[in-house]
Amino acid sequence: QQPVQSPQAVILREGEDAVINCSSSKALYSVHWYRQKHGEAPVFLMILLKGGEQKGHEKISASFNEKKQQSSLYLTASQLSYSGTYFCGTESAYSGAGSYQLTFGKGTKLSVIP
Amino acid sequence: DTGVSQNPRHKITKRGQNVTFRCDPISEHNRLYWYRQTLGQGPEFLTYFQNEAQLEKSRLLSDRFSAERPKGSFSTLEIQRTEQGDSAMYLCASSPWGSGDYEQYFGPGTRLTVT
């Protein structure tokens, strides 16, 4: 079942902060965050694993609430380069831990303006 | 490391024809994933391989779709008897599963248009 992302779209001025949320109705093993710019392939940002392990790019932070099956991506001091569509991909706790077979949400379109 | 490559980048075909796409993963990446993406949607999982073994196939995937990864290197995705609903971007991703690197590295995709 597809995770639900919110908001669907957000417009920021450079330097402002944003939070993107991802919620699943299923128990999760991991949550992956990707950013996709128009006409390009998705690019990895971060993975959050059940149990607290996180790996990702330095300037990106995120959280994973295992009890609520929710994850949030925090974008601080936004830059023009942050513009794009952000997708969360979830891995079910029942799919075989570590398969990284992902179900992606519909995405959150972020636009950063000067 | 040249990244994941996919060929062709664009394919226009008539309904009912068969098409085959190729994905060349990053060398030594043992995992390979296929996704389909339509406008305004996130990537939709199709299937994945661990080396040459196909470990999972989406239940939503019609029998018209088949994928192979002979010798655990490149992979092909074939769609038989294409339908207009097959029009989408087909993405391939690879990862070095087991190395501690969780990232899926995506290729540029093959855009299929069925007329």
Short mmCIF file of all heavy atoms in Angstrom, two decimals, chain A residues 2 32 34 36 38-44 47 49 53 55 57 87 95 97-107, chain B residues 9 31 33 35 37 40-45 48 56 58 89 91 95 97 99-109:
data_model
loop_
_atom_site.label_atom_id
_atom_site.label_comp_id
_atom_site.label_asym_id
_atom_site.label_seq_id
_atom_site.Cartn_x
_atom_site.Cartn_y
_atom_site.Cartn_z
N GLN A 2 0.50 2.20 -0.83
CA GLN A 2 1.32 3.38 -1.06
C GLN A 2 1.36 4.29 0.16
O GLN A 2 0.32 4.61 0.73
CB GLN A 2 0.74 4.13 -2.26
CG GLN A 2 1.58 5.25 -2.80
CD GLN A 2 0.97 5.86 -4.06
OE1 GLN A 2 -0.24 5.99 -4.18
NE2 GLN A 2 1.81 6.19 -5.01
N HIS A 32 13.08 5.32 2.84
CA HIS A 32 14.10 5.91 1.99
C HIS A 32 13.57 7.22 1.43
O HIS A 32 12.40 7.30 1.05
CB HIS A 32 14.44 4.97 0.83
CG HIS A 32 14.87 3.60 1.24
ND1 HIS A 32 16.00 2.98 0.74
CD2 HIS A 32 14.32 2.70 2.09
CE1 HIS A 32 16.12 1.77 1.27
NE2 HIS A 32 15.11 1.58 2.09
N TYR A 34 14.18 10.20 -1.55
CA TYR A 34 14.82 10.52 -2.81
C TYR A 34 14.31 11.88 -3.29
O TYR A 34 13.17 12.27 -3.01
CB TYR A 34 14.51 9.46 -3.88
CG TYR A 34 15.30 8.20 -3.73
CD1 TYR A 34 14.94 7.24 -2.81
CD2 TYR A 34 16.43 7.96 -4.52
CE1 TYR A 34 15.68 6.07 -2.66
CE2 TYR A 34 17.17 6.80 -4.38
CZ TYR A 34 16.79 5.86 -3.44
OH TYR A 34 17.53 4.71 -3.31
N GLN A 36 13.87 14.07 -6.94
CA GLN A 36 13.91 13.97 -8.40
C GLN A 36 13.66 15.34 -9.01
O GLN A 36 12.63 15.97 -8.75
CB GLN A 36 12.85 12.96 -8.90
CG GLN A 36 12.91 12.68 -10.38
CD GLN A 36 11.93 11.59 -10.81
OE1 GLN A 36 10.87 11.43 -10.21
NE2 GLN A 36 12.30 10.81 -11.83
N HIS A 38 13.11 17.66 -12.45
CA HIS A 38 12.34 17.45 -13.68
C HIS A 38 13.20 16.85 -14.78
O HIS A 38 14.28 17.38 -15.10
CB HIS A 38 11.73 18.78 -14.14
CG HIS A 38 10.88 18.63 -15.36
ND1 HIS A 38 9.66 17.97 -15.34
CD2 HIS A 38 11.08 19.02 -16.63
CE1 HIS A 38 9.15 17.98 -16.54
NE2 HIS A 38 9.98 18.61 -17.34
N GLY A 39 12.77 15.74 -15.31
CA GLY A 39 13.48 15.10 -16.41
C GLY A 39 14.72 14.32 -16.01
O GLY A 39 15.45 13.85 -16.89
N GLU A 40 14.94 14.17 -14.70
CA GLU A 40 16.12 13.47 -14.24
C GLU A 40 15.73 12.24 -13.42
O GLU A 40 14.58 12.07 -13.02
CB GLU A 40 17.00 14.40 -13.42
CG GLU A 40 17.51 15.60 -14.19
CD GLU A 40 18.41 16.50 -13.34
OE1 GLU A 40 18.74 16.12 -12.20
OE2 GLU A 40 18.75 17.59 -13.83
N ALA A 41 16.72 11.41 -13.13
CA ALA A 41 16.48 10.22 -12.30
C ALA A 41 16.42 10.61 -10.83
O ALA A 41 17.01 11.61 -10.41
CB ALA A 41 17.60 9.22 -12.53
N PRO A 42 15.71 9.84 -10.03
CA PRO A 42 15.72 10.09 -8.58
C PRO A 42 17.13 9.95 -8.01
O PRO A 42 17.91 9.11 -8.45
CB PRO A 42 14.80 9.00 -8.03
CG PRO A 42 13.96 8.56 -9.19
CD PRO A 42 14.84 8.72 -10.39
N VAL A 43 17.42 10.77 -7.01
CA VAL A 43 18.72 10.76 -6.35
C VAL A 43 18.52 10.51 -4.87
O VAL A 43 17.68 11.15 -4.23
CB VAL A 43 19.48 12.08 -6.57
CG1 VAL A 43 20.76 12.11 -5.76
CG2 VAL A 43 19.78 12.28 -8.05
N PHE A 44 19.28 9.58 -4.33
CA PHE A 44 19.17 9.19 -2.92
C PHE A 44 19.52 10.34 -2.00
O PHE A 44 20.50 11.07 -2.21
CB PHE A 44 20.11 8.01 -2.68
CG PHE A 44 20.24 7.60 -1.23
CD1 PHE A 44 19.29 6.78 -0.65
CD2 PHE A 44 21.32 8.02 -0.48
CE1 PHE A 44 19.42 6.37 0.66
CE2 PHE A 44 21.46 7.62 0.84
CZ PHE A 44 20.50 6.79 1.41
N ILE A 47 18.36 7.11 4.18
CA ILE A 47 17.63 5.92 4.60
C ILE A 47 17.53 5.92 6.12
O ILE A 47 18.49 6.27 6.81
CB ILE A 47 18.31 4.61 4.11
CG1 ILE A 47 17.53 3.39 4.59
CG2 ILE A 47 19.75 4.55 4.56
CD1 ILE A 47 18.04 2.08 4.03
N LEU A 49 16.34 3.28 9.19
CA LEU A 49 16.04 1.88 9.43
C LEU A 49 15.37 1.70 10.78
O LEU A 49 15.63 2.46 11.73
CB LEU A 49 17.32 1.06 9.40
CG LEU A 49 17.98 0.96 8.02
CD1 LEU A 49 19.47 0.88 8.15
CD2 LEU A 49 17.46 -0.27 7.29
N GLU A 53 19.05 3.24 12.97
CA GLU A 53 20.18 3.56 12.09
C GLU A 53 19.74 4.48 10.97
O GLU A 53 18.65 4.34 10.42
CB GLU A 53 20.77 2.28 11.50
CG GLU A 53 22.02 2.53 10.65
CD GLU A 53 22.61 1.24 10.11
OE1 GLU A 53 22.08 0.16 10.39
OE2 GLU A 53 23.62 1.33 9.36
N LYS A 55 21.40 6.69 7.44
CA LYS A 55 22.54 7.03 6.58
C LYS A 55 22.04 7.97 5.51
O LYS A 55 20.97 7.76 4.93
CB LYS A 55 23.13 5.78 5.92
CG LYS A 55 24.00 4.96 6.82
CD LYS A 55 24.83 3.97 6.03
CE LYS A 55 25.76 3.20 6.94
NZ LYS A 55 26.62 2.25 6.20
N HIS A 57 22.96 12.00 3.22
CA HIS A 57 23.83 13.13 2.94
C HIS A 57 23.86 14.07 4.14
O HIS A 57 22.88 14.22 4.87
CB HIS A 57 23.34 13.84 1.68
CG HIS A 57 23.44 12.98 0.46
ND1 HIS A 57 24.64 12.56 -0.05
CD2 HIS A 57 22.49 12.42 -0.32
CE1 HIS A 57 24.43 11.80 -1.11
NE2 HIS A 57 23.14 11.70 -1.30
N PHE A 87 10.38 12.17 -2.84
CA PHE A 87 9.62 10.93 -2.68
C PHE A 87 10.12 10.17 -1.46
O PHE A 87 11.33 10.07 -1.24
CB PHE A 87 9.80 10.01 -3.89
CG PHE A 87 9.22 10.54 -5.17
CD1 PHE A 87 10.03 11.13 -6.12
CD2 PHE A 87 7.87 10.43 -5.42
CE1 PHE A 87 9.50 11.60 -7.31
CE2 PHE A 87 7.32 10.90 -6.61
CZ PHE A 87 8.14 11.50 -7.55
N SER A 95 8.30 -7.76 4.05
CA SER A 95 8.79 -8.08 2.71
C SER A 95 10.12 -8.80 2.73
O SER A 95 10.64 -9.17 1.70
CB SER A 95 8.92 -6.80 1.88
OG SER A 95 9.97 -6.00 2.39
N ALA A 97 13.35 -8.28 5.51
CA ALA A 97 14.19 -7.15 5.90
C ALA A 97 15.43 -7.07 5.02
O ALA A 97 16.14 -8.05 4.84
CB ALA A 97 14.58 -7.30 7.36
N GLY A 98 15.64 -5.89 4.49
CA GLY A 98 16.82 -5.69 3.67
C GLY A 98 16.61 -5.96 2.21
O GLY A 98 17.56 -5.92 1.44
N SER A 99 15.37 -6.24 1.81
CA SER A 99 15.14 -6.42 0.37
C SER A 99 15.19 -5.07 -0.33
O SER A 99 15.52 -5.00 -1.51
CB SER A 99 13.79 -7.08 0.13
OG SER A 99 12.73 -6.18 0.42
N TYR A 100 14.84 -4.01 0.42
CA TYR A 100 14.76 -2.66 -0.13
C TYR A 100 13.85 -2.62 -1.35
O TYR A 100 14.07 -1.87 -2.29
CB TYR A 100 16.15 -2.10 -0.43
CG TYR A 100 17.01 -2.14 0.80
CD1 TYR A 100 18.26 -2.71 0.80
CD2 TYR A 100 16.53 -1.63 2.01
CE1 TYR A 100 19.03 -2.77 1.95
CE2 TYR A 100 17.28 -1.70 3.17
CZ TYR A 100 18.54 -2.26 3.14
OH TYR A 100 19.29 -2.34 4.28
N GLN A 101 12.82 -3.48 -1.30
CA GLN A 101 11.77 -3.42 -2.30
C GLN A 101 10.85 -2.28 -1.86
O GLN A 101 10.14 -2.39 -0.86
CB GLN A 101 11.02 -4.74 -2.31
CG GLN A 101 9.85 -4.80 -3.25
CD GLN A 101 9.11 -6.12 -3.11
OE1 GLN A 101 9.70 -7.15 -2.88
NE2 GLN A 101 7.79 -6.08 -3.24
N LEU A 102 10.89 -1.17 -2.57
CA LEU A 102 10.29 0.05 -2.09
C LEU A 102 8.94 0.34 -2.73
O LEU A 102 8.75 0.11 -3.93
CB LEU A 102 11.22 1.23 -2.34
CG LEU A 102 12.60 1.14 -1.70
CD1 LEU A 102 13.44 2.35 -2.06
CD2 LEU A 102 12.48 1.00 -0.19
N THR A 103 8.04 0.87 -1.92
CA THR A 103 6.78 1.43 -2.39
C THR A 103 6.88 2.93 -2.19
O THR A 103 7.03 3.39 -1.05
CB THR A 103 5.58 0.87 -1.61
OG1 THR A 103 5.57 -0.55 -1.72
CG2 THR A 103 4.28 1.43 -2.16
N PHE A 104 6.81 3.68 -3.28
CA PHE A 104 6.99 5.12 -3.21
C PHE A 104 5.66 5.84 -3.08
O PHE A 104 4.63 5.41 -3.61
CB PHE A 104 7.71 5.62 -4.47
CG PHE A 104 9.18 5.35 -4.50
CD1 PHE A 104 9.66 4.19 -5.10
CD2 PHE A 104 10.08 6.23 -3.93
CE1 PHE A 104 11.03 3.92 -5.13
CE2 PHE A 104 11.45 5.98 -3.96
CZ PHE A 104 11.92 4.82 -4.56
N GLY A 105 5.72 6.99 -2.37
CA GLY A 105 4.57 7.87 -2.32
C GLY A 105 4.46 8.67 -3.61
O GLY A 105 5.28 8.54 -4.52
N LYS A 106 3.43 9.53 -3.66
CA LYS A 106 3.19 10.31 -4.87
C LYS A 106 4.12 11.52 -4.99
O LYS A 106 4.17 12.16 -6.04
CB LYS A 106 1.73 10.77 -4.92
CG LYS A 106 0.75 9.63 -5.14
CD LYS A 106 -0.66 10.13 -5.34
CE LYS A 106 -1.59 8.98 -5.65
NZ LYS A 106 -2.98 9.42 -5.92
N GLY A 107 4.82 11.82 -3.92
CA GLY A 107 5.79 12.89 -4.00
C GLY A 107 5.29 14.22 -3.46
O GLY A 107 4.09 14.47 -3.38
N ARG B 9 16.89 5.41 -24.75
CA ARG B 9 16.37 6.45 -23.87
C ARG B 9 14.90 6.75 -24.18
O ARG B 9 14.13 7.09 -23.27
CB ARG B 9 17.19 7.72 -24.01
CG ARG B 9 18.63 7.58 -23.54
CD ARG B 9 18.73 7.37 -22.02
NE ARG B 9 18.00 8.39 -21.30
CZ ARG B 9 18.51 9.58 -21.02
NH1 ARG B 9 19.74 9.89 -21.39
NH2 ARG B 9 17.77 10.46 -20.36
N ARG B 31 22.58 -6.05 -6.76
CA ARG B 31 21.13 -5.88 -6.81
C ARG B 31 20.76 -5.00 -8.01
O ARG B 31 21.42 -4.00 -8.29
CB ARG B 31 20.62 -5.21 -5.53
CG ARG B 31 20.56 -6.13 -4.33
CD ARG B 31 19.25 -6.89 -4.32
NE ARG B 31 19.20 -7.88 -3.23
CZ ARG B 31 18.60 -7.69 -2.07
NH1 ARG B 31 17.99 -6.53 -1.83
NH2 ARG B 31 18.59 -8.64 -1.16
N TYR B 33 17.08 -3.32 -9.76
CA TYR B 33 15.64 -3.10 -9.60
C TYR B 33 15.07 -2.45 -10.86
O TYR B 33 15.73 -1.62 -11.48
CB TYR B 33 15.36 -2.14 -8.43
CG TYR B 33 15.89 -2.58 -7.08
CD1 TYR B 33 17.23 -2.39 -6.74
CD2 TYR B 33 15.04 -3.15 -6.14
CE1 TYR B 33 17.71 -2.78 -5.49
CE2 TYR B 33 15.51 -3.54 -4.89
CZ TYR B 33 16.85 -3.35 -4.57
OH TYR B 33 17.32 -3.74 -3.34
N TYR B 35 11.66 -0.23 -12.08
CA TYR B 35 10.50 0.55 -11.65
C TYR B 35 9.83 1.14 -12.89
O TYR B 35 10.45 1.29 -13.94
CB TYR B 35 10.91 1.72 -10.75
CG TYR B 35 11.49 1.34 -9.42
CD1 TYR B 35 12.86 1.15 -9.26
CD2 TYR B 35 10.68 1.20 -8.29
CE1 TYR B 35 13.42 0.82 -8.03
CE2 TYR B 35 11.21 0.88 -7.05
CZ TYR B 35 12.58 0.69 -6.93
OH TYR B 35 13.11 0.37 -5.70
N GLN B 37 7.39 4.60 -13.87
CA GLN B 37 6.94 5.88 -13.33
C GLN B 37 6.09 6.59 -14.36
O GLN B 37 6.50 6.78 -15.50
CB GLN B 37 8.12 6.76 -12.92
CG GLN B 37 7.71 8.03 -12.21
CD GLN B 37 8.89 8.84 -11.71
OE1 GLN B 37 9.98 8.78 -12.25
NE2 GLN B 37 8.67 9.61 -10.63
N GLY B 40 3.46 12.49 -12.53
CA GLY B 40 2.84 12.87 -11.27
C GLY B 40 2.83 11.79 -10.22
O GLY B 40 2.22 11.95 -9.15
N GLN B 41 3.49 10.67 -10.50
CA GLN B 41 3.53 9.56 -9.55
C GLN B 41 4.96 9.23 -9.17
O GLN B 41 5.90 9.57 -9.88
CB GLN B 41 2.88 8.32 -10.18
CG GLN B 41 1.43 8.49 -10.58
CD GLN B 41 0.52 8.68 -9.39
OE1 GLN B 41 0.67 8.01 -8.35
NE2 GLN B 41 -0.43 9.59 -9.50
N GLY B 42 5.10 8.54 -8.05
CA GLY B 42 6.40 8.03 -7.68
C GLY B 42 6.71 6.77 -8.46
O GLY B 42 5.83 6.17 -9.08
N PRO B 43 7.96 6.34 -8.44
CA PRO B 43 8.31 5.08 -9.10
C PRO B 43 7.52 3.92 -8.51
O PRO B 43 7.32 3.85 -7.30
CB PRO B 43 9.81 4.94 -8.80
CG PRO B 43 10.28 6.33 -8.54
CD PRO B 43 9.13 7.00 -7.86
N GLU B 44 7.07 3.02 -9.37
CA GLU B 44 6.31 1.84 -8.97
C GLU B 44 7.19 0.61 -9.17
O GLU B 44 7.67 0.34 -10.27
CB GLU B 44 5.05 1.72 -9.81
CG GLU B 44 4.23 0.45 -9.55
CD GLU B 44 3.16 0.23 -10.61
OE1 GLU B 44 3.09 0.99 -11.59
OE2 GLU B 44 2.37 -0.72 -10.44
N PHE B 45 7.38 -0.15 -8.11
CA PHE B 45 8.24 -1.33 -8.16
C PHE B 45 7.68 -2.36 -9.14
O PHE B 45 6.49 -2.66 -9.15
CB PHE B 45 8.35 -1.94 -6.77
CG PHE B 45 9.01 -3.30 -6.73
CD1 PHE B 45 10.38 -3.41 -6.78
CD2 PHE B 45 8.24 -4.45 -6.67
CE1 PHE B 45 10.99 -4.66 -6.75
CE2 PHE B 45 8.83 -5.70 -6.65
CZ PHE B 45 10.21 -5.80 -6.69
N TYR B 48 12.92 -7.23 -8.94
CA TYR B 48 14.32 -7.02 -8.64
C TYR B 48 15.11 -8.32 -8.66
O TYR B 48 14.54 -9.41 -8.52
CB TYR B 48 14.52 -6.26 -7.33
CG TYR B 48 14.49 -7.05 -6.05
CD1 TYR B 48 15.68 -7.43 -5.42
CD2 TYR B 48 13.29 -7.36 -5.43
CE1 TYR B 48 15.66 -8.12 -4.22
CE2 TYR B 48 13.27 -8.03 -4.23
CZ TYR B 48 14.45 -8.41 -3.61
OH TYR B 48 14.42 -9.09 -2.42
N GLU B 56 11.83 -11.14 -6.66
CA GLU B 56 10.47 -10.67 -6.41
C GLU B 56 9.93 -10.01 -7.68
O GLU B 56 10.67 -9.39 -8.43
CB GLU B 56 10.44 -9.66 -5.26
CG GLU B 56 9.05 -9.30 -4.77
CD GLU B 56 8.37 -10.40 -4.00
OE1 GLU B 56 9.06 -11.19 -3.34
OE2 GLU B 56 7.13 -10.49 -4.08
N SER B 58 6.35 -7.81 -8.87
CA SER B 58 5.13 -7.17 -8.39
C SER B 58 3.90 -7.96 -8.83
O SER B 58 3.81 -8.42 -9.97
CB SER B 58 5.04 -5.75 -8.93
OG SER B 58 3.77 -5.20 -8.65
N MET B 89 7.72 6.00 -17.99
CA MET B 89 9.17 5.98 -17.90
C MET B 89 9.55 4.71 -17.14
O MET B 89 9.02 4.45 -16.05
CB MET B 89 9.68 7.20 -17.13
CG MET B 89 11.19 7.22 -16.92
SD MET B 89 12.08 7.55 -18.44
CE MET B 89 11.97 9.36 -18.47
N LEU B 91 12.41 2.85 -15.20
CA LEU B 91 13.64 3.16 -14.49
C LEU B 91 14.31 1.89 -13.99
O LEU B 91 13.64 0.98 -13.51
CB LEU B 91 13.36 4.07 -13.29
CG LEU B 91 12.85 5.48 -13.59
CD1 LEU B 91 12.30 6.12 -12.33
CD2 LEU B 91 13.96 6.34 -14.17
N SER B 95 22.23 -1.50 -6.76
CA SER B 95 22.79 -1.23 -5.44
C SER B 95 23.75 -2.35 -5.05
O SER B 95 23.59 -3.50 -5.47
CB SER B 95 21.69 -1.10 -4.39
OG SER B 95 21.10 -2.35 -4.12
N TRP B 97 24.15 -4.36 -2.53
CA TRP B 97 23.53 -4.92 -1.32
C TRP B 97 24.53 -5.75 -0.53
O TRP B 97 25.26 -6.56 -1.10
CB TRP B 97 22.33 -5.77 -1.71
CG TRP B 97 21.56 -6.28 -0.53
CD1 TRP B 97 20.61 -5.60 0.17
CD2 TRP B 97 21.67 -7.57 0.09
NE1 TRP B 97 20.12 -6.38 1.18
CE2 TRP B 97 20.75 -7.59 1.16
CE3 TRP B 97 22.45 -8.69 -0.17
CZ2 TRP B 97 20.60 -8.70 1.97
CZ3 TRP B 97 22.30 -9.80 0.65
CH2 TRP B 97 21.37 -9.79 1.70
N SER B 99 26.91 -4.42 1.33
CA SER B 99 28.16 -3.68 1.55
C SER B 99 28.00 -2.58 2.58
O SER B 99 28.96 -1.92 2.94
CB SER B 99 28.62 -3.05 0.23
OG SER B 99 27.72 -2.02 -0.15
N GLY B 100 26.75 -2.38 3.04
CA GLY B 100 26.49 -1.27 3.95
C GLY B 100 26.06 -0.01 3.23
O GLY B 100 25.74 1.00 3.86
N ASP B 101 26.06 -0.06 1.90
CA ASP B 101 25.59 1.07 1.09
C ASP B 101 24.15 0.77 0.69
O ASP B 101 23.90 -0.16 -0.06
CB ASP B 101 26.46 1.21 -0.16
CG ASP B 101 26.07 2.40 -1.01
OD1 ASP B 101 25.01 3.02 -0.75
OD2 ASP B 101 26.82 2.72 -1.96
N TYR B 102 23.22 1.53 1.24
CA TYR B 102 21.81 1.23 1.02
C TYR B 102 21.23 1.93 -0.20
O TYR B 102 20.10 1.68 -0.58
CB TYR B 102 21.00 1.69 2.25
CG TYR B 102 21.48 1.10 3.55
CD1 TYR B 102 22.27 1.83 4.43
CD2 TYR B 102 21.12 -0.19 3.91
CE1 TYR B 102 22.68 1.31 5.62
CE2 TYR B 102 21.55 -0.72 5.11
CZ TYR B 102 22.32 0.02 5.97
OH TYR B 102 22.73 -0.50 7.16
N GLU B 103 22.00 2.81 -0.77
CA GLU B 103 21.48 3.65 -1.83
C GLU B 103 21.16 2.84 -3.07
O GLU B 103 21.92 1.96 -3.46
CB GLU B 103 22.50 4.73 -2.18
CG GLU B 103 22.08 5.66 -3.30
CD GLU B 103 23.09 6.77 -3.52
OE1 GLU B 103 24.00 6.92 -2.69
OE2 GLU B 103 22.95 7.48 -4.53
N GLN B 104 20.03 3.16 -3.69
CA GLN B 104 19.72 2.64 -5.02
C GLN B 104 20.11 3.74 -6.00
O GLN B 104 19.65 4.87 -5.91
CB GLN B 104 18.23 2.30 -5.15
CG GLN B 104 17.83 1.10 -4.30
CD GLN B 104 16.41 0.63 -4.54
OE1 GLN B 104 15.84 0.85 -5.61
NE2 GLN B 104 15.84 -0.04 -3.55
N TYR B 105 20.98 3.37 -6.94
CA TYR B 105 21.47 4.32 -7.92
C TYR B 105 20.63 4.15 -9.19
O TYR B 105 20.65 3.09 -9.82
CB TYR B 105 22.94 4.04 -8.25
CG TYR B 105 23.88 4.23 -7.08
CD1 TYR B 105 23.97 3.27 -6.08
CD2 TYR B 105 24.65 5.38 -6.96
CE1 TYR B 105 24.83 3.43 -5.00
CE2 TYR B 105 25.52 5.55 -5.89
CZ TYR B 105 25.60 4.57 -4.92
OH TYR B 105 26.44 4.75 -3.84
N PHE B 106 19.91 5.20 -9.51
CA PHE B 106 18.98 5.12 -10.64
C PHE B 106 19.65 5.51 -11.96
O PHE B 106 20.51 6.40 -12.01
CB PHE B 106 17.79 6.05 -10.42
CG PHE B 106 16.75 5.50 -9.49
CD1 PHE B 106 16.90 5.60 -8.11
CD2 PHE B 106 15.62 4.86 -9.99
CE1 PHE B 106 15.94 5.08 -7.24
CE2 PHE B 106 14.66 4.35 -9.15
CZ PHE B 106 14.82 4.45 -7.77
N GLY B 107 19.20 4.85 -13.01
CA GLY B 107 19.59 5.23 -14.36
C GLY B 107 18.68 6.33 -14.88
O GLY B 107 17.72 6.71 -14.22
N PRO B 108 18.96 6.84 -16.09
CA PRO B 108 18.18 7.95 -16.64
C PRO B 108 16.80 7.55 -17.14
O PRO B 108 15.96 8.41 -17.39
CB PRO B 108 19.05 8.42 -17.81
CG PRO B 108 19.83 7.21 -18.22
CD PRO B 108 20.07 6.44 -16.97
N GLY B 109 16.57 6.24 -17.27
CA GLY B 109 15.25 5.79 -17.68
C GLY B 109 15.09 5.62 -19.18
O GLY B 109 15.84 6.17 -19.98
#
